[in-house]
Amino acid sequence: MTSSASHESISSGDIESSALDESNVDTSDQSHIEAITRDNSVSLEILDGDAHIEVEKLPSVLYETTSDESERVRNRDVPPAGIGQKIYEIDPTLNYYRGHLDYRYEQYKRTREEIDKHEGGLEQFSRGYEKFGFTRSETGITYREWAPGAKSATLIGDFNNWNPEAGAMSCNEFGVWEIFLPNAADGHPAIPHGSRVKIRMETPSGTKDSIPAWIKFSVQAPREIPYNGIYYDPPEEEKFIFTHPRPKRPKSLRIYESHIGMSSKEPVINTYTNFRDEVLPRIKRLGYNAVQIMAIQEHSYYASFGYHVTNFFAPSSRFGTPEDLKSLIDKAHELGLVVLMDIVHSHASNNTLDGLNMFDGTDTCYFHSGARGYHWMWDSRLFNYGHWEVLRFLLSNARWWLDEYKFDGFRFDGVTSMMYTHHGLQVAFTGNYNEYFGFSTDVDAMVYLMLVNDLIHALFPEAITIGEDVSGMPTFCIPVQDGGVGFDYRLHMAVADKWIEILKKRDEDWLMGDIVYSLTNRRWKEKCIVYAESHDQALVGDKTIAFWLMDKDMYDFMALDRPSTPLIDRGIALHKMIRLITMGLGGEGYLNFMGNEFGHPEWIDFPRGEQRLPDGRSIPGNNFSYDKCRRRFDLGDADYLRYHGLQEFDQAMQHVEEKYGFMTSEHQYISRKDEGDKIIVFERGDLVFVCNFHWNSSYSDYRVGCLKAGKYKVVLDTDDPLFGGYGRISHEAEHFTTEGSFDGRPHSFLVYAPCRTAVVYAIVDSEMEASNG
């Protein structure tokens, strides 16, 4: 941490409201954005200088919540930093790196102490949105912005006819600019709800109009590229009020990863309201208990999948209004679904017109300067996590989404890039601890990750944090007070890459030991979220598992009234097996990207035009088509298509996990990895999984080991005709154990193991106890 509070922090007493003389403020009714009701789409239309935003009209009757959650959160304390030594008990190997790890923890403790001393603690520090940006009191609106590089600043917008002389701002010693706009004579706020606003600054690189960094909403006008910052402060009767409590944190996380825009069956940008009404019930029915939503933070480039964020506190306007998003989350809570947000704190959009880049005319405001502040592969800016105001901004941003929108946690994007100065680029992590603890580790970023996990778990005890890390950083999912980074889960990214590697090989070359090792290679006492394929594989130019397996045959042979092909038969069988063994062995939580549950046949191709490269070459576009930027849920629902069987299997798999909770069972034992038979047998909880990956060999009276004696029965079978299989397994058969060690287990029983089939067996007594419970 290179900066100190004395240079860059502000405390509650540092900023005084500098009210302007009322004669200098234009309080007349200027052009502004008015809410009008037509449909539930969102657009910005410029007509004769007036901007109008179309929004869905909110229900006239809203129920009051029984308690003020935000007030309860304010009353919670963030416990003081612990001693940070338990990591050495959990992993004694870390003792060789005590110098680095103890230094990291001391930097974290020092930062906590500075925040306590100058800001009143993490709880107050993380409420930056109550001080920065636009805040309204009974007497008027205060706008504050941190822009230390600016020479002068004025607030301009519809409310003052974009007159820079009317909104001059004053600056304090910390580079914080401020203006107070008193209410109009009739008591109305000086800036009407929906007005376009920007801050104009004289900077070292010239005059610059920027969208306020803490803006709560921004929209793009038709036929315009830049976004407009919107003063968002609806009247009380239009504000959405949450009516349903947050669900309890599930023990086993089954996550349905979603993108609002492409979640429609039609070739359009879908809306928060349509997702709420049409997709959430589907997610619930499929048996998932959490929905993870991508692309929430505003991003000007749709095809970035939401990862080039321009406005960190603003929900994307292309899907609807902030109230629409709140309604979506409240509905999810009513259904018992946890709502996770894909949050981006690893980098920011390179845009200078509507993002943070060059915000105050310098490249050092929120980011590192020069090459260190630029991610060449992502074409984006990299935060300076050692900067006091960057900490305030990002910590407040995490809290904002949890407090204001009632999200239940986050999947933090790009954490590997944050933790290392090389950002993980062109680095093959081998697991050698020297790769994690050295000069390439960004300690400032590590401290930020510890702080944000500290904050989230203290103020929102049920909240979930998942970190996207491909490197395998030790201590990643150990609590901060024990010396860890503090995440609840690591996203187990290596598994999806392994499946791609395997799918490129002949069936004969699949190694059972390699599959098992890849699925179980994770750190002790550090939980993982596993997935068989990522959303990136669904993008144009890549291949999903279904497409790797079945290729173009998916377009012609997925109807049940047409003969299948060997490629389709193989693909449908292995698609189910891959998902089941991934969930069974790969982690303590499972994630699926929407559509993959039924083997979505087409990739995602965002609307785009022709792109001209600097060397004169061109990349053809798709005429800005949305045809491939949607999810064909109708294919999975159609009982006359083979996609339906894949979807039915996924639903059954989720419900079996719900019933038996095998992902979070402490008991896991792999009893067989037979390279000749191509069979994997393992126990997870009270279940026994038998997976036969052989392409044509089926085995009768195949003996499998087990821990518990008794009678076993089939609870899930990939070969079930309901799932597009051939029904070779009898679900009525009873399998009784015999005494005697087999495959290192005290008991065993005989099964029929057809080729390319995975079967899950449960002991009958265990099932009865579960149903009675």
Side-chain angles (χ1 to χ4, degrees), residues 54 112 134 248 268 342 428 518 566 600 637 663 701 705 717:
E54 300 176 4
R112 281 287 309 269
F134 295 93
K248 292 292 184 182
V268 297
D342 203 344
S518 298
H600 200 285
D637 293 342
M663 283 195 301
D701 293 332
D717 163 24

Side-chain angles (χ1 to χ4, degrees), residues 243-264:
T243 60
H244 298 96
R246 303 176 190 263
K248 292 292 184 182
R249 181 202 294 217
K251 186 177 181 182
S252 299
L253 263 183
R254 299 185 301 275
I255 304 170
Y256 197 82
E257 185 182 27
S258 308
H259 184 288
I260 299 292
M262 65 180 66
S263 63
S264 173

